[in-house]
Amino acid sequence: MAPRLPDLAKRSLKTALDDLGHVMERVHTHALKQRMSPDAFRATVAGLGFSSMREFCDRTGLPESTIESWLRFGLSHDAAQLLNAMMSYRNRVKEAIEAADSATNAGIADFFEERRLP
């Protein structure tokens, strides 16, 4: 934290009055809005096709400390929205692949399954 203090001080000097509203919204979103529970987080990660939290951590590039915090306290509203968007996108792609497979018998799902894409 100490190496960040000078950066924080510099940014604080450049903070405009308009930024205060954004800061307050960020605090409100992070601290007061409904969080995704650790169980829902685990289920979403599994639903995204990851075999473990370790794989999720490695494949997304998130630090292990972030994953551990989410497993203990849940995800903030913003992070949960992003994760849910990933799940929604995955489901749409999966449905499109299944539709293409049933129409063409090209085996797209088998192609992706072999490469273990979530």
Side-chain angles (χ1 to χ4, degrees):
M1 175 103 173
R4 294 184 192 171
L5 288 177
D7 291 337
L8 179 62
K10 287 178 191 173
R11 281 184 287 180
S12 295
L13 292 174
K14 296 178 186 176
T15 300
L17 192 55
D18 294 349
D19 293 336
L20 293 178
H22 294 293
V23 169
M24 293 307 296
E25 176 60 27
R26 180 82 173 118
V27 169
H28 175 78
T29 299
H30 188 75
L32 301 175
K33 283 192 177 177
Q34 181 69 34
R35 299 178 70 81
M36 176 185 274
S37 72
D39 290 337
F41 173 49
R42 285 183 190 91
T44 303
V45 167
L48 285 169
F50 294 100
S51 62
S52 67
M53 285 297 168
R54 164 67 53 209
E55 181 186 8
F56 176 73
C57 190
D58 292 344
R59 299 275 304 270
T60 60
L62 288 167
E64 191 173 332
S65 59
T66 298
I67 303 299
E68 289 173 0
S69 174
W70 288 350
L71 287 170
R72 183 172 172 95
F73 303 111
L75 279 75
S76 68
H77 182 75
D78 292 346
Q81 282 183 304
L82 287 172
L83 200 59
N84 286 328
M86 288 173 58
M87 182 66 123
S88 176
Y89 179 74
R90 181 189 190 280
N91 290 339
R92 288 194 317 270
V93 169
K94 185 178 178 185
E95 289 171 8
I97 288 172
E98 289 169 355
D101 279 354
S102 68
T104 64
N105 199 21
I108 296 172
D110 294 331
F111 174 80
F112 281 116
E113 219 21 70
E114 193 168 301
R115 283 154 183 79
R116 298 203 23 87
L117 294 177

